Each structure stands twice: as C-alpha cells, then as structure tokens.
Amino acid sequence: MTIALAIEQLLNGLQLGVMLFLMAAGLTLIFGVMGLINLAHGSLYMVGAFACATIAAWTGSFWLGLIASLAAAAAAGAIIELTVIRRLYDRDHLDQVLATFALILIFSEGTRWIFGSFPLYLDIPPLLQGAVALPGGAEYPLYRLAIIAVGAAVAVGLYLLISKTRLGMRIRAGESDREMIGALGVDIRTLYTVVFALGSALAGFAGAMVGALQSVQVGMGEPVLILAFVVIVIGGIGSIKGALIGAILVGVVDTLGRFLLPQILAVLLPPAQAGLMGGALASMLIYIVMAVILAVKPRGLFAAHG
C-alpha cells in the first residue's frame, strides 16, 4: 500500500465522517433539547437533496440549490414540529418512534409521487471540479476536500452558536432544565421549533452536499440515519463535540476497514474468500467499535449529562 493510497483512504474516511456529523449534529441537538427520538431525520436529508437537485436543474446554479436545500429542510422540519412532533413531547419514546416512522413512509411516498421513482443527478459546480495532488503523486477530488472544509466550518459555527449566543444559552438551558427556562419567561415552544428547524437544515444540507457524489433518490436517508444513530451513541447523546468525534471515528473506521480488511485476510485466504469475508467483517466493524466504547463508557465518549 502506497502512502498516496493511504492518504486517499484517510481523506475518504474524513469526508464520510463530516457528512455523518452534519446528520448527527442535528439529531443529537434535537434529542438533547427536546428528548425526542426522530426517525424522520433521514427523510429531511432526502428533502434537502431533492430540493438542491430540483433548483439546480431549474436555475443551473448548484449554489442556489444549496440555499434551497437549507430552506426546504428547515421549513419541512418546522412544519413537522408544529403539526406532529408538538403532540409527542409528553408521550413515551415508543409513540415518538411510531409517529416518526410513519413520517418516513409519508415522505418517501410523497417524494415518489412528486418526482417519480427514477433518481435525479447533481453536477459538481465548475469551481469545485478537478483534483488536488497528494503526496506520492496521486490526486484527490477537490469537491470531497470542500465537503471536509465545509464540515469543519459548520462544526466551528455550531460551537460558536451554542457557546457564545443568546440562542445557544437557551438551548443549553433547555437541555438542563426545560421547565425552569419556561418559568423564567422563555417561549419553550418557539425554542423547540427553532431547534428542530436547525437540526433539519443541517440534515438537508448534508443531503445536498452528498447528492453531487451519488444519485438523489427516494429512501436515500435511511442508511445514513442508522450510521448517524451509531455516531451519537458513540459520542454521547446531546453532545455536539461527541457527534463530531464520533462521526470522524465512524467514518475513518468504516472506510479503512473496508479497504484494509480484505487485504489483510488475503494473506491467509484465497482472494475471493478474503474479499467476501473482509467485506462482511468491515460492515460489522463500526458496531464492534460501538460495543467496545459502550462497555467502557456506557453514556458515550462525551455524554452531555453526567
């Protein structure tokens, strides 16, 4: 394995981790403040991707599509919170799971009804086309590097929002004692709507960014949602820092595992068997990592409470 190839796979892992962070940050923010298990978060990821693809096709501008993805996902999240989620805060988690699972079906069939069953495609904007030379002579796509940079910028922005602004102060207070901030005059319902819309916008933004790397299709958010739940369990529910560290860990472990395990097993097994067994083990690797971390730290690496 060359140095260039190792660096390329590491960057692929970082890019996957950044995408998972954009999903997991919104998910853990919603659960930390509102105590809500939102299975429909993957549907908002899909909404952002379809909004970006549609607006980019109409206008010819990927950048307008990105803005549309944020607006569409935030608006969809606010509508969901006002019409459905608001009725679930005093219900147990099973009711929340059933209601948000129903939203997955509604969004999937509604999207299929509007856009059809055929996938849409997003073109990478000309500004981000091309590749960057890596040490060792290989090249890496500029767009993937841009995703990593955008994810880092979002992480910094969320840190500043949560730690330095009045809204962030209210979000932190809502995580600690929502009844008390309500008694102090904060409109808790408006806060919940804002938090849900913010988390939804992050999911939609992630869908739009990844939509240029793969097809935009119905159901694209559900596989990512599973990984996002793994991320927040590893990082600690309610922790943005935990979501970032957990996402990078999952992205790098998953990518390097799929790359290295078949090669390692090829030393002992025939190539066909090594590839088959390596792929199977690689798909289990992040769950093994999660189990080990939870055995040591049951509340995750950076639990928001306790």
Side-chain angles (χ1 to χ4, degrees):
M1 181 176 65
T2 65
I3 294 177
L5 188 56
I7 294 175
E8 181 181 358
Q9 294 302 318
L10 181 60
L11 288 173
N12 283 338
L14 285 174
Q15 183 258 303
L16 174 60
V18 163
M19 183 271 293
L20 290 175
F21 168 69
L22 293 175
M23 277 287 288
L27 196 60
T28 197
L29 192 64
I30 289 170
F31 187 88
V33 175
M34 303 159 69
L36 177 80
I37 299 176
N38 179 26
L39 295 186
H41 203 67
S43 297
L44 297 164
Y45 173 91
M46 178 184 68
V47 166
F50 270 94
C52 184
T54 302
I55 297 302
W58 285 352
T59 64
S61 172
F62 176 81
W63 308 110
L64 288 177
L66 275 184
I67 295 172
S69 72
L70 287 166
I79 292 171
I80 289 173
E81 197 279 333
L82 290 169
T83 58
V84 178
I85 302 300
R86 185 162 288 187
R87 294 168 170 78
L88 301 174
Y89 294 133
D90 296 328
R91 310 288 286 272
D92 59 31
H93 288 321
L94 178 59
D95 291 336
Q96 296 172 0
V97 167
L98 292 174
T100 54
F101 180 76
L103 288 173
I104 294 177
L105 303 180
I106 292 169
F107 270 102
S108 294
E109 293 308 312
T111 304
R112 184 176 286 111
W113 177 65
I114 295 171
F115 295 99
S117 299
F118 295 101
L120 304 180
Y121 296 93
L122 263 170
D123 293 326
I124 295 174
L127 181 64
L128 298 178
Q129 291 178 0
V132 174
L134 297 178
E139 294 186 335
Y140 194 75
L142 179 59
Y143 184 73
R144 289 181 179 268
L145 288 176
I147 291 178
I148 296 173
V150 167
V154 170
V156 172
L158 280 175
Y159 167 75
L160 295 175
L161 173 68
I162 298 299
S163 63
K164 304 294 184 182
T165 67
R166 182 174 294 274
L167 174 61
M169 179 182 65
R170 292 179 176 179
I171 289 174
R172 297 196 311 274
E175 289 179 328
S176 302
D177 194 335
R178 67 192 70 179
E179 290 80 10
M180 179 59 71
I181 67 167
L184 292 174
V186 175
D187 187 346
I188 194 70
R189 292 194 170 195
T190 301
L191 178 64
Y192 280 3
T193 303
V194 170
V195 169
F196 202 91
L198 175 60
S200 301
L202 289 173
F205 186 66
M209 294 291 290
V210 175
L213 298 176
Q214 62 186 42
S215 60
V216 176
Q217 56 188 332
V218 175
M220 63 183 292
E222 279 65 58
V224 182
L225 179 66
I226 295 172
L227 293 177
F229 273 115
V230 172
V231 166
I232 65 173
V233 169
I234 288 175
I237 296 174
S239 170
I240 298 297
K241 178 182 178 181
L244 177 61
I245 301 300
I248 292 174
L249 180 63
V250 168
V252 171
V253 167
D254 184 68
T255 302
L256 293 184
R258 294 179 187 277
F259 173 64
L260 291 176
L261 282 177
Q263 297 188 38
I264 294 172
L265 292 175
V267 177
L268 305 173
L269 300 172
Q273 292 183 2
L276 184 63
M277 186 175 294
L281 289 175
S283 64
M284 299 164 51
L285 194 55
I286 59 172
Y287 302 102
I288 295 173
V289 170
M290 178 178 70
V292 171
I293 290 174
L294 291 182
V296 178
K297 302 196 70 172
R299 298 179 66 87
L301 294 174
F302 301 96
H305 307 292

